[in-house]
Amino acid sequence: MTHSTLLLAQRLLRFDTLNPPGDEAACMAFFAEWLSEQGFAVTLTTFGEHRCNLVAQMPGTRPGRPLAFTGHLDTVPLGYQAWQYHPFGDDVIDGRLYGRGSSDMKAAIAAFAVACVNHQAAIRAGTGVVLLITGGEETGCDGARALIEGSELPEIGALIVGEPTANYPVIGHKGALWLRGETRGKTAHGAMPERGINAIYLAAEALGKIRQFEPGAPHPLMKKPTLNVGRIQGGLNINSVPDHTQFDVDIRTAPNLQHATIRQNLATALGETVTLSTLIDLPAVLSAEDNRWITRVYQRCQPLHAQPLSAKVVPYFTDASLLLPALNNPPCIILGPGEPDMAHQTDEYCLLSRLNEAETLYGELIDDWQTGQWDG
Ligand SMILES: [Zn+2]
């Protein structure tokens, strides 16, 4: 690994980009300047106070579509447990780079950015590269949503998402449908409950039905869809009959399931006492295993793994849910140096050995793409 990948990863880690609350402005401004200095054409856009995305382009001279990389600069909060290492430091200990966002996914961003710089001669003589760097991913792809709604994205031929996979090529992930259910009752004095309608009791009945609800049939690769009630709120004080509750349902789906159908079926199962609204609707992602470029990526990744690679998907969602449809659904691979188990953990780290591998791997994929022979 060149010194610069580690250095860049460390500089990105020193910015607090915890989301919530969400503030990527300083980190994004630093990175925009860094990319400009390296010869990228950079467009920085905002989607709220201190909320930013950027698109960086390094065009080639050969006719054809560029290769795109994407990553998010926001991170999840630190959690309640105390950290042994500085979450916004850049400690390197026993071959591990520590910090919030090291695995998910600032190290990956550093690796592909430096790989582009190191391979810029090939890029300039080839079909080019595009970097789509987002904020607001961890709260449901807010940045990516703003990016596709607010600007004309460049045409691209393939997309690499640097989310943590320990450098294993992943061809897809589940979709997410987040719904909010609400029940309404009638308030009354807690000493005279017969005069009211208790919205918590209505919610309790609804939750029993949700627990039994099957969102749909299993997918051969992604298996069964899942459902979880992650949050509930209701009632204002102990001595009143509550007249309102809300609860949030997190459904993870596969490409064989339509979100509109799931929502309709759940609404039917719950009946009229529950009002449903959609908080987030992110489709599943799945690339064709036999796509020529995907098979090439597998060839490049194989030497890094002892076992023969096979088609693999992950349960978490990524910005690809929104970016792919907006980019006319190019083939997409999720491939990053971070440890999947380290994402969102206390004392998050990325292995330097993986970071090293990723920089080389991204470089090979960049060079492959520039020849034009793996597009389409
Ligand atoms: Zn992530």
Side-chain angles (χ1 to χ4, degrees), residues 72 104-105 137-138 163-164 344:
H72 62 86
D104 186 12
M105 52 176 286
E137 191 269 349
E138 295 289 4
E163 292 282 356
H344 305 192

Side-chain angles (χ1 to χ4, degrees), residues 255-292:
N256 58 321
L257 305 172
Q258 295 295 319
H259 288 187
T261 310
I262 295 173
R263 185 184 151 154
Q264 184 55 52
N265 291 346
L266 185 61
T268 306
L270 295 176
E272 281 175 1
T273 50
V274 180
T275 319
L276 282 182
S277 53
T278 300
L279 302 177
I280 275 175
D281 184 351
L282 298 170
V285 163
L286 188 61
S287 289
E289 247 179 279
D290 58 356
N291 172 276
R292 288 173 57 246

Side-chain angles (χ1 to χ4, degrees), residues 71-72 74-76 103-105 137-138 161-164 316-318 343-344:
H72 62 86
D74 62 316
T75 71
V76 289
S103 262
D104 186 12
M105 52 176 286
E137 191 269 349
E138 295 289 4
V161 184
E163 292 282 356
Y316 57 78
F317 63 74
T318 76
H344 305 192

Side-chain angles (χ1 to χ4, degrees), residues 19 91 97 107 112 117 132 163 171 219 249 256 266 269 290 302:
N19 178 29
D91 287 338
L97 170 62
F112 64 63
V117 173
L132 305 169
E163 292 282 356
I171 57 167
H219 181 270
V249 189
N256 58 321
L266 185 61
D290 58 356
Q302 184 60 73

Side-chain angles (χ1 to χ4, degrees), residues 38 100 197:
Q38 310 300 321
R100 174 54 91 218
I197 299 168

